[in-house]
Amino acid sequence: MLISKMAAEGGGKEMNEIKTQFTTREGVYKLLTHSEYSRPNRVPFNSQGSNPVKVSFVNVNDQSGNGDRICFNVGRELYFYIYKGVRKAADLSKPIDKRIYKGTQPTCHDFNHLTATAESVSLLVGFSAGQVQLIDPIKKETSKLFNEERLIDKSRVTCVKWVPGSESLFLVSHASGNMYLYNVEHTCGTTAPHYQLLKQGENYSVHTCKSKSTRNPLLKWTVGEGALNEFAFSPDGKFLACVSQDGFLRVFNFDAVELHGTMKSYFGGLLCVCWSPDGKYIVAGGEDDLVTVWSFLDCRVIARGHGHKSWVSVVAFDHYTTSVEESDPMEFSGSDEDFQDQMIHFGRDRANSTQSRLSKRNSTDSRPVSVTYRFGSVGQDTQLCLWDLTEDILFPHLPLSRTRTHTNVMNATSPPAGATIITNTSNNTTNGSNSGANTPGMNSLSTTLPRSNSLPHSAGTTTANSTNKTGSGGGGIGSGIMDSAIATGVSKFATLSLHDRKERHHEKDHKRNHSMGHISSKSSDKLNLLTKTKTDPAKTLGTLLCPRMEDVPLLEPLICKKIAHERLTVLIFLEDCLVTACQEGFICTWARPGKVVSSF
């Protein structure tokens, strides 16, 4: 009895020890203690009543080869440093910029990667009282303050992000459940904004700002009930995943302002969300202590992961460890034009990255290519979990020949770039022609909820609009809602958007919009009806929105390690390391296997 008691005590002590390294199939990840970032005095921050510590990175491409910069908030303070990662120890005595705020605290921040240079960066900072500040920590300038008088929203800013591909548009979510689209070039006005309804759906509505001159916000989204805790853009920037305190994940077509699909947590609010590198899967975490994997293409939960003992605060995919085992040289079973149309922008931009490798899952002979997605999560239980999402979960119970076919189809359709899924696979659908019944893991196409409010207009009209858009020299927020926007008297918004969003592939957008014109209003009504019958929270358990625990695979974490004394608030995967942070204000760098520089 005494021995077992001592053993139990010893085991308990070991369980409470903070880990400084952990091992996966790739090797050993090691905590680099000299690379720890914090406030200059390195004293643990008293986190009671303060907002979560957050971290943002940007690369300024300077000539020294050390272009990484890090920004983090601790309490009322905001810091901006050169980030040396696994290369050199952190020098906390020399922040590039430090700011201390009175009466409000920074809650979140985001760099504009498009405009960043060694001389200037654009950093958005959201605050607990509802304001958003645009600063340049290199020039040490504060250029603009949005919602300064709190006339737009008085609640805490929960998430702020630049719209992908734009130098001037950004999106802000609040604890009120509202989300606003801003343009840095416009003012917020001296009076509270008046709104005009643009689009409405099940538990969401979108309004434009009604005024004589263009002002912020350009759009107001009201999503779900309670706080909108976080949102994330798909890798190609065309879709938006939102998680709310009402427990719902809602995925929108951002351009068309339409609901694509929804998911409900097992219980409690959802706190965090992220996309897989290829945009095919979304992972959400929250107050049910679970990580939930949702298929973008099938609009359904495909797995849950249980490893945390408390709320999950951050989920993130590891783009660098997501692996593809290639056998023979890959061939694309279609025309070059089709392949170009269906590749997502992000995959093109990073030709040697995971996205590119995932795009090669098109083998037309021998065995199918194997893929494993790696993602991680951190929680209020101070634990880091790593998870592998493998093909036995993604494509269960499929013979090899069918798996290969399904793999081809999945790969041939990049969901965020062309999510139109129609049962009729005739050649008149540009994006949907190859994505019929062979989509992996789909029980029936009627359950996919591709777009719940797709615009019923003729192909000719859409083509004309797309052509005009291409000629304007820029893509647009609301490119898919051009007709309805003009029809409802908000052409000002539509025209504005044409010049603000940078799209690199005009021809691709033309075809994507062209395919939308073939969805009939009747099918759109059916999808609306289907959505409405499923979103009653009291009746969601046991449905596609929220399957029972025994109805979906349950993942176990590869590793689950206690790595901090306080709740964890940050998890970011970089090429040679991963970065975590806790509420005490310590930002930790974990070197990937083989990446520890000898100087350490």
Side-chain angles (χ1 to χ4, degrees), residues 327 330-331 360-367 369 404 408:
S327 49
M330 300 297 122
E331 293 180 7
K360 293 178 180 177
R361 298 173 64 227
N362 297 301
S363 177
T364 53
D365 53 8
S366 73
R367 292 178 58 81
V369 177
R404 181 167 68 246
N408 292 344

Side-chain angles (χ1 to χ4, degrees), residues 229-230 242-245 247-249 263-274 282-294 303-305 308 310-316 375-379 387:
N229 289 321
E230 190 176 50
C242 304
V243 288
S244 301
Q245 197 58 38
F248 278 90
L249 161 73
M263 181 271 286
K264 175 73 171 61
S265 68
Y266 198 68
F267 63 82
L270 286 176
L271 306 176
C272 51
V273 64
C274 66
I282 294 173
V283 172
E287 295 174 358
D288 54 10
D289 303 355
L290 302 170
V291 293
T292 303
V293 186
W294 190 79
R304 290 191 180 103
H308 288 283
S310 187
W311 297 357
V312 180
S313 49
V314 184
V315 286
F375 66 94
S377 57
V378 295
W387 314 80

Side-chain angles (χ1 to χ4, degrees), residues 59-69 82 116-119 138:
N59 190 290
V60 298
N61 299 313
D62 67 354
Q63 301 302 314
S64 69
N66 189 19
D68 289 328
R69 303 289 182 266
I82 293 175
T117 66
E119 293 76 37
I138 294 180

Side-chain angles (χ1 to χ4, degrees), residues 517-536:
H518 289 282
I519 305 175
S520 71
S521 57
K522 192 170 290 186
S523 66
S524 174
D525 292 341
K526 284 181 183 175
L527 292 171
N528 260 331
L529 191 63
L530 193 57
T531 311
K532 287 180 180 178
T533 58
K534 289 183 176 179
T535 50
D536 180 0

Side-chain angles (χ1 to χ4, degrees), residues 199-202 204 251-253 257-262 448-455 519-532:
K199 187 160 290 192
Q200 196 167 15
E202 178 67 20
Y204 82 96
V251 183
F252 295 95
N253 181 323
V257 197
E258 292 169 355
L259 186 66
H260 167 81
T262 57
T448 59
L449 303 179
R451 285 194 177 96
S452 51
N453 284 316
S454 297
L455 291 178
I519 305 175
S520 71
S521 57
K522 192 170 290 186
S523 66
S524 174
D525 292 341
K526 284 181 183 175
L527 292 171
N528 260 331
L529 191 63
L530 193 57
T531 311
K532 287 180 180 178

